[in-house]
Amino acid sequence: MRSSLLKLKRAKQHLDSLESVVTEYRSSHPNALSAQYDISTGRTSWVVLINEDIREEIALLLGDIIHNGRSSLDLLANELLVDAGLTPTRNTYYPLAENAAQLQDRLTRTGLIGLTGQALSYFSAHPPSKDQNPALYSLHALDIVDKHRTITPVTPFVEIDHLVVITQSGPLAFGKMRMQLENGRCFLNGIPGQIQDSDFSCSSFPVFTISDNDLGFDWQLIFPNEEDCVVSQATLLINAAEAVLAHFYPGSTN
């Protein structure tokens, strides 16, 4: 089997592991809400209490997913040259660039300019650049990040199912909510009256995402229709690499 395909397969295995870890973590309801009453204002704030933190485990899995996905592309570049009867060098890699205008320089530097026909025209038809293919470029950029520091999973919001608060006027029920965290962990304040922990019940869990600082762009701005979740993010990045390999090796990436 092609080395590039083996690397992609390994990336998918790590992606499956990431999904299992996140799913198991969520199902355990590792976090809770606690009511904090401010006697000076007479109002109660709800605070997310983090009982178990798995961000380090997620970060390691993300690194493995991204490295294998990016390596599959570099191995593909070498394989394309060998198949064309050309010799790869230490500078042969998949020619990702900041913008499409840099593509010609990257093709020359990597030796891929020696390809002919459809193999060469693929790169101009599908520019592997930040402006034309942000998912593929992010795979490249995150691989560089992971070489120097740990990729950062963050928790920008908490999702809550069925929250019921008992007030003096009776029960106040909320359906499914996806609340942005304020000041790190505190949200949904401003409820009058002193509320005890026993006065409400809920199940809550964090939704992890890759930090926008690591990605180099605002995820929701670039991909407004994609879920802002670490599993969905990693899946989209690996799918971008798989689409490239599937073009050159039809039917081999399944």
Side-chain angles (χ1 to χ4, degrees):
M1 191 175 185
R2 298 274 187 167
S3 295
S4 58
L5 295 173
L6 289 173
K7 280 289 187 180
L8 180 65
K9 181 179 179 181
R10 188 61 173 164
K12 290 182 176 181
Q13 290 171 344
H14 287 304
L15 184 57
D16 289 341
S17 296
L18 174 65
E19 184 173 13
S20 297
V21 166
V22 171
T23 299
E24 182 178 354
Y25 180 71
R26 289 177 173 179
S27 64
S28 69
H29 303 302
N31 301 330
L33 292 179
S34 177
Q36 291 189 357
Y37 179 67
D38 187 341
I39 192 171
S40 64
T41 63
R43 291 180 178 274
T44 297
S45 297
W46 296 343
V47 178
V48 179
L49 300 179
I50 300 175
N51 300 321
E52 182 184 0
D53 190 348
I54 63 167
R55 284 175 296 177
E56 289 185 356
E57 183 176 0
I58 289 177
L60 293 175
L61 283 170
L62 276 173
D64 289 338
I65 292 166
I66 288 162
H67 175 69
N68 281 280
R70 179 67 181 90
S71 295
S72 71
L73 296 174
D74 289 338
L75 288 167
L76 171 66
N78 280 267
E79 291 164 0
L80 291 176
L81 290 181
V82 171
D83 289 347
L86 302 172
T87 303
T89 70
R90 293 179 62 184
N91 292 324
T92 299
Y93 56 86
Y94 198 80
L96 287 147
E98 280 282 339
N99 54 68
Q102 296 177 344
L103 179 59
Q104 193 70 16
D105 173 70
R106 293 289 191 274
L107 289 172
T108 301
R109 184 184 305 180
T110 60
L112 293 170
I113 195 67
L115 297 175
T116 60
Q118 292 183 354
L120 180 61
S121 64
Y122 176 83
F123 295 103
S124 57
H126 304 84
S129 58
K130 184 177 182 179
D131 55 349
Q132 296 293 319
N133 196 330
L136 200 65
Y137 187 84
S138 294
L139 184 66
H140 162 68
L142 287 170
D143 186 47
I144 294 175
V145 169
D146 191 60
K147 293 176 183 176
H148 303 282
R149 68 180 190 272
T150 303
I151 296 172
T152 310
V154 297
T155 309
F157 46 81
V158 167
E159 191 167 282
I160 303 168
D161 287 307
H162 188 60
L163 176 63
V164 178
V165 179
I166 306 300
T167 66
Q168 293 180 351
S169 59
L172 179 64
F174 298 86
K176 193 168 188 177
M177 297 184 298
R178 197 160 178 157
M179 304 298 300
Q180 293 290 334
L181 296 185
E182 299 175 6
N183 303 321
R185 296 180 302 169
C186 183
F187 67 97
L188 207 62
N189 54 13
I191 295 178
Q194 188 167 355
I195 301 175
Q196 303 297 325
D197 288 355
S198 59
D199 291 335
F200 62 86
S201 62
C202 73
S203 60
S204 65
F205 56 82
V207 179
F208 295 102
T209 72
I210 302 172
S211 169
D212 286 347
N213 290 334
D214 286 344
L215 282 168
F217 60 79
D218 185 320
W219 177 267
Q220 284 297 293
L221 182 63
I222 302 298
F223 301 110
N225 298 319
E226 295 291 336
E227 185 180 1
D228 192 7
C229 164
V230 67
V231 176
S232 299
Q233 289 172 321
T235 300
L236 186 141
L237 300 179
I238 293 304
N239 285 348
E242 182 176 13
V244 176
L245 268 68
H247 172 82
F248 291 100
Y249 305 133
S252 299
T253 62
N254 298 327

